[in-house]
Amino acid sequence: IVPEALTEGEIASGYTLSDKVVRNRLATDAAYKLTKQKPAPLTARKNRSLIEVGNLADDLHLLADCDWIIEAVVENIDVKRAVLAKVDQIRKPNCVVSSNTSGISVHAMVEGCSVGLRTHFLGTHFFNPPRYLRLVELIPTDETDDQIVGAMKQFVEAVLGKGVVLAKDTPNFIANRIGTYGMMLTLQEMQRWGLTVGEVDSLTGTLIDRPKSATFRTLDVVGLDTFSFVLANLTKSLPEEVAALTVPTFMQTLIDEGHIGSKSGAGFYKKVGKDILELDWKTGVYTSKTSHRSTAVTLAKQKGSYADKLQTLVEADDPAGHFLWAILSGLFRYTAECASEIADDIVSIDAAMKWGFGWEYGVFETWDAIGLEKSVARMELDGYEVAPWIKEMLASGQHRFYQDNGDYFTPKGYLPKAVNVKEIDIKALPAIKENSGGRLLDMGDGIAFLEFCSPNDAIGIDFMDMILAAIDEVENNYDGLVIGNTSKNFCVGANLTLMLMAAQEDDLYEINRMVKKFQQATTRVRYCSKPVVTAPYQMALGGGAELCLPAAYCQASSETYIGLVEVGVGLIPAGGGCKEVYVRNLQSYGGGAVADLQKVAQKTFETIALAKVSTSAAEAVETGFLRVGEGISMNTAHLLYDAKEAARHLATKGYRAPVKEKIPVSGEVGYAALTMGAQVMLTAGHISAHDFLIAKKLAWVISGGNLPYGTEVDEQYLLDLEREAFNALIMEPKTQARMQHMLMTKKPLRN
């Protein structure tokens, strides 16, 4: 909107209210803030240049060129109607117009607009922050053209990388309808059972396979004011639910005092110095963090399956057990009652909760885990009624919402889930060979897939063996290989526990054997006669990055955080990482014949010594961990399909492995320059003596050691330097202390 008054800075600069810079100020400031926010809303800072700002008074005519216009103005239906009426006069005939409303009636917004707009209009509710949350709810009206709905679903999934569910035009749609009720139920049951804010978060987060932000950290991030607005919209539209959705007094007090969460510095949690305090909702005072501990919680954490864990928790005869049973059973009943009102099937509801709120399991999947028949019997004993269709389902002999093959329940019988060919089901692929570290599977079309199976997505000796075995198999019988994963992360690096145990036992032979085998594995990846494509996503750190760097091609998820982080535990990369980054930088500077080797060495040293990690795949291209032209998949669910297609494409084009070449190094001159910079940092007190030792070892490897400037060496020479430096550092007591601290606290130790 156009500002109504000048700022002091604008007055000092001589601007008036008619100047464009003033009229665009709010949009310009908002666009600028995109580069400062954390977590970053843009995958690359340079993308800010793609945004053209304007204002609603002067620039609406620009919309005439748009293919898709998204309305995201204030959540007030009168304002939305006024804006959309103007858009109706400007849009070109085939332009799609949508609203990003979180719950206002989509149909009501365009009453009175032209038929052309109404047939091209729908809701597109992106969950916030849209870069990180996968869910987009598409809400068509009765007048929306079916072809528009289909085209938008395909575009949002394939190009924007989202998980799309079709929602009905009802208050707050699917995820906010269910999520809001669940939040309010949790608040009420917390008071009923006398639990603390911290105890509730310890019970409603990772313990039950939901995000670690759980309940109250999530509310703080969303904003208590925003949540209150969503709640008010729901209660106004559904007055029969007001009693269950009343903001408790202590929460309203927080809102009235401006303590609305993270953006205000205080909400249910408040940071004081380095300490995080939690609200005592009974007194309004912030106190030390708490968490719930009980025998049932301890036992549940030891259970292998989600079902066993949940059943242990809800069957416990203690406050935590009663609390969890109350919030889950209440959520089950509510969702069952409104299921047909908000969505066409239970799959859409479960997907919305998983993609919008980050739950590992949806409502009906969770209900299956607890047990439908016995849970309904318990609800009835508690004096509650369940939806008629649930009783009819049980009466017909059906006791599960989902069958083992994935078919889901409908009143007309079980139906198979819709299959997207771009979402590869790894469990359905035939196995070629496997061990405890990994599995080699047949993806079809001549492409094999090597999957991590190691604990915590770390590289151990068994997975190294599988890499070597996989390449042997592929070179003999397949056209290409994809290396990937299907768990939380692509790979967090080498198995630090095993390395530390060997070091503490002074077993340098075993350490050297593991490092050498990993070097052999990454070398085989580089020189495999068939194309090897890696498919990283989320964390690809240390050894995970070293596995990607030598591959013929990398098809990365847009949300890939890749980097060499070994210095954080007192080590340096030793799986070829130093060599690979150096060679990439050498090529970026023009190659060995023309490159300034000292600049190449310095850039490599900074990348590794500072443990730089990309915050996205786009940034990984800027940092050199991905090459220009390598693939980025916006939709992680399509990543393995895209990687397979990349491998297939390389094979079809007649892939040839790279030829081994000599590598020029900066030698003694480079080593002196690199260590001089580290010495300055040490003298100034910016690094410790052990940091300086690590820096010297790293500089020795990158410069090529005690050689004349420009000496050409082979790859094995640099790999040997990496391994020697790694072996020396891991036997240092201070490095072992850093490794121990990282394993225990997940945080680096500066000693």
Side-chain angles (χ1 to χ4, degrees), residues 160-172:
L160 302 186
K162 298 300 180 182
V164 175
V165 297
L166 294 180
K168 296 182 180 180
D169 191 10
T170 56
N172 287 19

Side-chain angles (χ1 to χ4, degrees), residues 186-205 213-217 219 250 268-269 277-293 319-320 323-324 327:
T186 300
L187 284 165
Q188 292 180 351
E189 294 299 332
M190 174 184 74
Q191 296 173 89
R192 178 185 174 192
W193 297 102
L195 299 176
T196 67
V197 164
E199 285 179 319
V200 168
D201 272 359
S202 68
L203 293 170
T204 59
S213 57
T215 299
F216 293 109
R217 285 193 179 280
L219 281 170
F250 70 84
F268 287 105
Y269 291 96
L277 305 180
E278 69 177 48
L279 178 77
D280 182 336
W281 58 268
K282 297 177 183 177
T283 65
V285 176
Y286 287 95
T287 62
S288 299
K289 283 173 61 178
T290 59
S291 62
H292 186 85
R293 293 180 174 85
F323 164 78
L324 286 171
I327 65 170

Side-chain angles (χ1 to χ4, degrees), residues 145-159:
D145 188 307
D146 289 341
Q147 290 186 331
I148 296 295
V149 177
M152 290 301 291
K153 183 177 186 296
Q154 182 179 20
F155 181 85
V156 173
E157 285 179 341
V159 180

Side-chain angles (χ1 to χ4, degrees), residues 288-360:
S288 299
K289 283 173 61 178
T290 59
S291 62
H292 186 85
R293 293 180 174 85
S294 68
T295 302
V297 169
T298 301
L299 289 173
K301 290 179 179 179
Q302 299 170 356
K303 298 296 182 180
S305 72
Y306 179 62
D308 288 343
K309 178 167 63 175
L310 268 190
Q311 290 170 24
T312 300
L313 289 168
V314 300
E315 292 170 6
D317 187 13
D318 60 25
H322 297 310
F323 164 78
L324 286 171
W325 167 251
I327 65 170
L328 290 173
S329 62
L331 189 65
F332 296 157
R333 293 193 303 274
Y334 179 77
T335 306
E337 288 168 3
C338 64
S340 61
E341 176 191 345
I342 62 178
D344 288 329
D345 51 58
I346 64 172
V347 175
S348 297
I349 295 173
D350 278 353
M353 300 314 297
K354 290 190 287 186
W355 296 339
F357 283 84
W359 296 1
E360 188 70 24

Side-chain angles (χ1 to χ4, degrees), residues 25 142 395 533 572 622 739:
R25 183 216 310 151
D142 293 340
V533 175
I572 70 163
E622 298 175 7
M739 296 169 71

